[in-house]
Amino acid sequence: MNRLLIGALILTTFGALNTQPAFEEKVAKGKTEEMATPLVKKDVYVPNPQLPDDRKLTQIGQNASDAKGDLTLIAYKKMDEAITVGPIEVTVKDMKVMHATPDYSMIDFFHGYTHDEDFDIVKVNVEIKNNSDKKIKFSPVAFLETDKGEHLPWEDDIYLEELSGELDGNATKSGNVGFIVTKGDVRGISFMTSDAVNGEGKVLEKGKSVELEF
């Protein structure tokens, strides 16, 4: 009787040991699949390294300040105007004109654009979405022109939020494009997007012009 009990216990023990690797493999596989699934963060605000956060500036005269300097809202328009360029959809969320007074610590950066200690900025907040499953090269603002005749190429963008370049398939980017203007009282802007270009360098659609007024 004791031998039977001992034998049964041995079989039970080995049976449990034999099933353990299968359980661990299943757990490991589950963890691998979970890790392989990309984490997507939506509506996450990333502070701009050059300028204060102006998201709450919606009333003329409002002010935003932080360690990078000071912004005062001069003009504002809420929009949500969308255009399509090939597989790319560009939505202009809003546009602003702001007076900027950078902190002394930021002077070296802005000296690459102006030697004034304070200046006006015209800015558009945009979202770009790639509706194809292929990488597309695109820039939401190839150049911008104010109603005062200032012509500003993409190289003069002071926000530098990496909205230009390759956009992965079915990906979305959002952020700001802004320029220092020397002629005040801006009441309207126009800008041209870049062409939408695929990975082989083929132009899928030429850039489009957008005209906006405050």
Side-chain angles (χ1 to χ4, degrees):
M1 185 68 178
N2 288 337
R3 289 181 180 179
L4 289 174
L5 285 173
I6 292 170
L9 288 170
I10 291 171
L11 287 172
T12 302
T13 302
F14 274 105
L17 289 172
N18 287 335
T19 59
Q20 191 66 22
F23 173 76
E24 290 178 351
E25 182 180 353
K26 183 178 180 181
V27 171
K29 183 179 179 183
K31 287 184 178 179
T32 302
E33 289 175 351
E34 183 179 346
M35 292 174 64
T37 303
L39 297 175
V40 179
K41 294 183 179 180
K42 295 183 179 179
D43 302 323
V44 176
Y45 173 73
V46 179
N48 184 275
Q50 285 78 244
L51 293 155
D53 178 7
D54 66 84
R55 289 177 298 165
K56 293 183 179 180
L57 300 185
T58 58
Q59 301 295 323
I60 306 306
Q62 279 185 317
N63 179 272
S65 298
D66 64 15
K68 292 167 284 190
D70 180 273
L71 290 175
T72 301
L73 187 65
I74 298 172
Y76 169 75
K77 187 170 184 179
K78 179 73 175 174
M79 310 206 62
D80 280 333
E81 181 172 327
I83 61 168
T84 57
V85 183
I88 301 294
E89 180 179 345
V90 182
T91 302
V92 181
K93 297 291 188 179
D94 62 46
M95 61 177 182
K96 296 178 178 180
V97 178
M98 296 175 290
H99 187 73
T101 305
D103 183 76
Y104 182 77
S105 62
M106 301 303 300
I107 292 298
D108 285 345
F109 171 80
F110 286 106
H111 273 177
Y113 300 88
T114 180
H115 288 287
D116 293 335
E117 293 185 359
D118 60 295
F119 42 82
D120 288 348
I121 297 169
V122 61
K123 188 203 79 169
V124 290
N125 179 259
V126 299
E127 179 182 270
I128 54 176
K129 181 180 180 182
N130 183 359
N131 290 314
S132 76
D133 58 0
K134 306 293 184 183
K135 284 187 178 181
I136 302 294
K137 294 179 181 178
F138 184 75
S139 175
V141 179
F143 66 83
L144 180 146
E145 188 169 0
T146 72
D147 63 330
K148 305 305 177 185
E150 284 192 77
H151 184 91
L152 303 159
W154 66 268
E155 294 94 337
D156 290 344
D157 172 31
I158 61 173
Y159 275 82
L160 305 177
E161 294 187 352
E162 299 183 358
L163 296 177
S164 298
E166 285 191 341
L167 187 61
D168 289 337
N170 301 308
T172 300
K173 287 184 181 180
S174 61
N176 303 299
V177 179
F179 303 87
I180 294 173
V181 293
T182 58
K183 298 178 181 179
D185 195 29
V186 174
R187 293 298 161 194
I189 63 171
S190 61
F191 68 85
M192 176 72 75
T193 74
S194 75
D195 301 338
V197 181
N198 68 12
E200 288 72 46
K202 178 182 178 181
V203 175
L204 303 179
E205 186 169 357
K206 300 292 287 182
K208 290 184 179 179
S209 178
V210 181
E211 295 187 9
L212 307 170
E213 293 182 352
F214 287 102

